[in-house]
Amino acid sequence: MDGALFGTETEYACAGNLSPAEAASRVKDGVFSERKYGLIEPAPREWGEVPGNGGFLFNGGRLYLDSGHLEYATPECRSLHDIVAAERGGDQILVAAVVDLKVENEIFFIKNNTDHFGHTYGYHENYCLRVSPRSRDMVQGLLPFLVTRQLFTGSGMFFPAALRGRSGSRSGLLTDSSDPPGKSRFGVFGGGNSAGASRPPVPFQISQRAHFVSVDVSHRVRFGGRPILNLRDEPLAGGRFRRLHIIIGDANRSEWATALKLGTTALVAQLLELGWDPEVELENAVAALKEIARNPYGGWTVRMTDGKTIPAIDIQRVYLLEATKRFLGRDADTDWTLRQWATILNALEMDALRLDGYVDWVTKFLQLSHYAEKAARGWDDPALIKLDLAYHHVDPRVSLYTLLCKQGKIPTLVDDERAERAMHQPPADTRAAGRGHVVRAMAEARADDSIRWEVLARRLGERAVWGDERFVVYEYVDDWRDIRDTGAWHIIPYLIDWGAIAVKDHVLELSDPFRDYAEESERFGKSLPSLLRR
Amino acid sequence: MMESKDRPAAIEPTLVLPASAAPEAPTKPAETPTEVPTRPERIPGEKEKESEPDIDEQIKRIIREIPDPTPQPGGE
């Protein structure tokens, strides 16, 4: 997509015999122990990353532990095809690592955002900008789009009875109480124009994340309220580049939904960079987000600051219309996004059932509805939680999503061969290509053999006690200059970062994410054996 | 602009686009059944549907085989 560059971060849930945190740690160690997929990082980093907490992958992405989850960050991508492949490559690295460790019946990873016990975990999107993501125009321009895009990006969530009790009003949670009972403007059950069809309340929300959001914007991602839009200003690139960090998205299984999520959001970010003002402002973005999420039946509306109530789909059309005027015909990804965006808004307006197989929440809602209809306890059947989770399991043996793909009910955008390559190969047209090349060369040179783990712990670590827990607190390394300044290269022989790779004072800067750094990375790779011998 | 070596000319598959919803004029379509977007009968290149056991049976198997729901650490 012209001018766009994006990547995503997924925190996987984990089920099985071990605790989620133990399982995540074991699989992380397995991924890096044989240098089969990437190379471990020795430096302690900010955000509590201890030495060996993660590493960079041959595909240009990164795998690491965060808050007890195994988290995968894709390489930087410029095309929708590449980002879909990169996400799937990450899923498959986890599946393959579990098989390598021979724990495939003990550890199961799940690509979703809630455990049904009241916890959420992240799926973050990153878009490269040339303007500040903190500007008032950018924030105000994004919020109405982000609140309403869940209509096609939501992964859907069954709401178990235990959580319903915690959330207060049952009717408020499950239905849109502004509608008269028995009326259906369009029915997921009743079809497009089935006025009067029954509309039973169901414990289902179209977004996994909406329920957990409490503020519209914040500089933090968790403490002080989980926001729709995170204002972290951490470009991870050279001076003119900035990074938009969106944390409201659901992790999708549908590749079509992933592509449309990234494609539409990239186009909207580009519109706002150009100074366009959508001139729509929601009265209360968080309330609108939650109200839309609670209604799987359609007829979604939002209240504006001028007091008017308008269809949520019309908000999306404001953005679509401007993107079409400005960008139609520009490149294949843009045209695909515009066509699919227009089509899906029409479909959502008329009959969301048509989106079975394309939009995750619709697919899942139909599967759960079908199961509940046959179950003696209906929507109170406890197996519905497992069915919900099964949709998100990444192990193809037990994944409902994979089963539906195999049966031809869900189309995929990336074939198995391409997904396999994405486990090991970076996109060819971003700095991930250079990073991936060097990481592979470092692994082949067994650069991690030079790490002095024990000395590292003594030099940078300090024993601490918190309550009954004993642990080591590390001085963290901000970037390669910290290692140079302390002369610690004999302990930490290399540092890999999104914007630079350093091996004993030799640095490959990767400051421009739109460059592939082919020649520089080739030269750097060839110099590695002699560098590591010093 | 550099092109990805693996990238096809256009990402596929697509939903069928109704004539009334051409991206040049993404306006509210008339609400007639014939204009409802429909899923392609066969996605180009899509494999013939495999002969599978009854999906309800497979779903029961999956529910049996996956671990019970586990509380997860709060993330971000």
Side-chain angles (χ1 to χ4, degrees):
Chain A
M1 179 175 280
D2 277 2
L5 183 135
F6 30 68
T8 64
E9 307 155 33
T10 303
E11 292 181 351
Y12 293 86
C14 191
N17 296 347
L18 301 177
S19 76
E22 285 172 324
S25 182
R26 186 164 173 194
V27 174
K28 181 266 298 179
D29 289 343
V31 165
F32 294 110
S33 64
E34 301 288 331
R35 305 180 193 90
K36 193 171 173 183
Y37 308 99
L39 190 68
I40 197 80
E41 296 169 273
R45 308 306 297 267
E46 203 177 359
W47 312 111
E49 291 202 46
V50 299
N53 187 67
F56 274 89
L57 302 164
F58 301 151
N59 75 3
R62 185 171 183 245
L63 191 77
Y64 49 104
L65 301 176
D66 189 0
S67 305
H69 293 266
L70 195 52
E71 178 162 343
Y72 167 65
T74 68
E76 302 90 334
C77 299
R78 295 177 69 175
S79 82
L80 298 177
H81 196 257
D82 281 348
I83 188 67
V84 170
E87 280 208 10
R88 196 156 143 200
D91 297 345
Q92 293 193 186
I93 285 173
L94 299 195
V95 172
V98 164
V99 172
D100 291 345
L101 290 167
K102 297 183 171 53
V103 290
E104 60 266 43
N105 294 320
E106 297 165 44
I107 296 176
F108 296 82
F109 285 103
I110 305 166
K111 188 176 184 178
N112 73 344
N113 303 103
T114 181
D115 61 359
H116 300 90
F117 288 91
H119 306 121
T120 188
Y121 27 94
Y123 172 87
H124 300 174
E125 300 151 61
N126 300 290
Y127 300 87
C128 188
L129 299 181
R130 284 83 169 172
V131 301
S132 171
R134 292 179 172 179
S135 75
R136 180 183 167 84
D137 290 346
M138 179 62 71
V139 171
Q140 292 207 334
L142 276 169
L143 280 175
F145 168 75
L146 294 175
V147 165
T148 50
R149 75 169 189 172
Q150 64 177 301
L151 293 173
F152 54 87
T153 65
S155 281
M157 173 173 70
F158 171 67
F159 232 85
L163 284 188
R164 282 175 243 162
R166 284 189 217 168
S167 302
S169 163
R170 182 184 171 91
S171 62
L173 174 68
L174 304 179
T175 64
D176 176 357
S177 56
S178 64
D179 286 343
K183 288 284 183 186
S184 174
R185 284 166 296 194
F186 88 62
V188 168
F189 290 113
N193 296 306
S194 56
S198 66
R199 190 181 165 196
V202 288
F204 186 88
Q205 297 203 5
I206 68 175
S207 157
Q208 297 215 337
R209 294 281 277 172
H211 175 73
F212 300 97
V213 165
S214 55
V215 295
D216 49 8
V217 294
S218 171
H219 292 277
R220 297 181 171 190
V221 295
R222 184 167 43 166
F223 301 109
R226 186 172 276 106
I228 295 170
L229 190 57
N230 176 230
L231 298 182
R232 180 187 296 170
D233 191 8
E234 189 185 19
L236 304 175
R240 67 195 169 103
F241 297 110
R242 310 297 284 269
R243 180 167 65 115
L244 174 64
H245 191 231
I246 293 173
I247 71 166
I248 185 57
D250 287 356
N252 290 108
R253 294 310 321 269
S254 161
E255 295 179 1
W256 186 91
T258 299
L260 197 59
K261 175 177 60 188
L262 273 293
T264 55
T265 308
L267 291 180
V268 169
Q270 290 182 334
L271 285 175
L272 298 173
E273 275 187 307
L274 293 170
W276 173 70
D277 180 358
E279 297 179 352
V280 288
E281 193 172 350
L282 302 176
E283 183 183 74
N284 184 328
V286 174
L289 182 83
K290 291 173 184 288
E291 189 172 349
I292 290 170
R294 289 168 184 161
N295 173 15
Y297 290 99
W300 305 275
T301 58
V302 290
R303 192 171 171 82
M304 313 303 290
T305 48
D306 62 7
K308 290 179 183 167
T309 298
I310 67 170
I313 290 168
D314 285 359
I315 297 281
Q316 282 289 313
R317 286 201 173 105
V318 170
Y319 293 89
L320 168 62
L321 183 59
E322 191 66 21
T324 304
K325 280 182 191 168
R326 295 194 186 221
F327 302 137
L328 183 68
R330 188 178 65 174
D331 59 88
D333 274 357
T334 296
D335 287 355
W336 182 89
T337 301
L338 293 170
R339 278 200 316 273
Q340 298 304 291
W341 198 359
T343 303
I344 201 163
L345 296 182
N346 293 340
L348 284 164
E349 190 169 57
M350 290 184 278
D351 184 2
L353 259 185
R354 303 281 184 167
L355 299 172
D356 182 18
Y358 287 85
V359 172
D360 281 319
W361 75 260
V362 174
T363 307
K364 199 156 84 176
F365 186 43
L366 288 172
Q367 290 295 325
L368 266 60
S369 299
H370 179 69
Y371 191 92
E373 280 171 19
K374 294 181 176 180
R377 294 175 61 184
W379 280 94
D380 288 325
D381 193 299
L384 285 169
I385 297 179
K386 291 186 79 172
L387 189 58
D388 182 319
L389 291 170
Y391 186 79
H392 299 275
H393 270 257
V394 296
D395 182 339
R397 296 173 306 159
V398 292
S399 167
L400 174 59
Y401 165 79
T402 305
L403 172 64
L404 295 172
C405 288
K406 282 182 180 172
Q407 298 221 336
K409 296 180 189 302
I410 298 180
T412 54
L413 302 183
V414 169
D415 63 27
D416 292 345
E417 187 188 339
R418 178 72 183 86
E420 171 86 16
R421 285 205 305 279
M423 295 168 67
H424 306 282
Q425 284 183 12
D429 54 0
T430 72
R431 65 180 177 183
R435 184 187 308 117
H437 178 84
V438 172
V439 169
R440 185 179 288 280
M442 291 169 73
E444 288 169 358
R446 304 172 74 94
D448 51 333
D449 282 349
S450 311
I451 302 167
R452 298 175 68 187
W453 295 103
E454 288 303 318
V455 180
L456 195 159
R458 283 203 305 274
R459 278 278 298 271
L460 296 179
E462 186 176 325
R463 295 189 188 285
V465 178
W466 182 279
D468 295 332
E469 283 191 65
R470 294 172 184 277
F471 50 91
V472 178
V473 178
Y474 284 91
E475 270 183 66
Y476 67 79
V477 173
D478 195 32
D479 69 15
W480 62 269
R481 292 171 190 83
D482 287 350
I483 308 177
R484 178 195 63 191
D485 295 345
T486 55
W489 287 120
H490 63 293
I491 305 169
I492 303 174
Y494 59 87
L495 187 138
I496 311 170
D497 222 332
W498 293 100
I501 300 176
V503 179
K504 296 188 175 177
D505 266 351
H506 283 251
V507 181
L508 173 62
E509 294 278 5
L510 303 167
S511 56
D512 183 348
F514 288 84
R515 282 193 56 205
D516 63 8
Y517 291 94
E519 292 176 14
E520 296 94 329
S521 62
E522 180 77 21
R523 278 199 302 274
F524 197 86
K526 285 181 178 167
S527 70
L528 279 172
S530 61
L531 284 175
L532 289 167
R533 278 197 299 273
R534 288 182 191 175
Chain B
M1 190 184 94
M2 203 173 288
E3 290 293 322
S4 171
K5 289 166 188 162
D6 297 313
R7 191 165 62 210
I11 195 165
E12 294 293 345
T14 62
L15 277 167
V16 170
L17 188 71
S20 65
E24 288 81 0
T27 53
K28 187 177 177 181
E31 293 184 8
T32 60
T34 55
E35 291 177 335
V36 174
T38 56
R39 201 181 144 181
E41 289 184 6
R42 176 68 51 79
I43 295 157
E46 186 181 36
K47 281 195 295 191
E48 190 75 31
K49 181 178 164 182
E50 292 175 17
S51 175
E52 295 277 355
D54 177 52
I55 190 165
D56 287 345
E57 289 304 312
Q58 295 218 45
I59 286 173
K60 284 179 190 167
R61 173 190 63 80
I62 286 174
I63 289 175
R64 270 197 316 273
E65 291 183 1
I66 62 172
D68 287 334
T70 309
Q72 302 291 322
E76 317 287 355

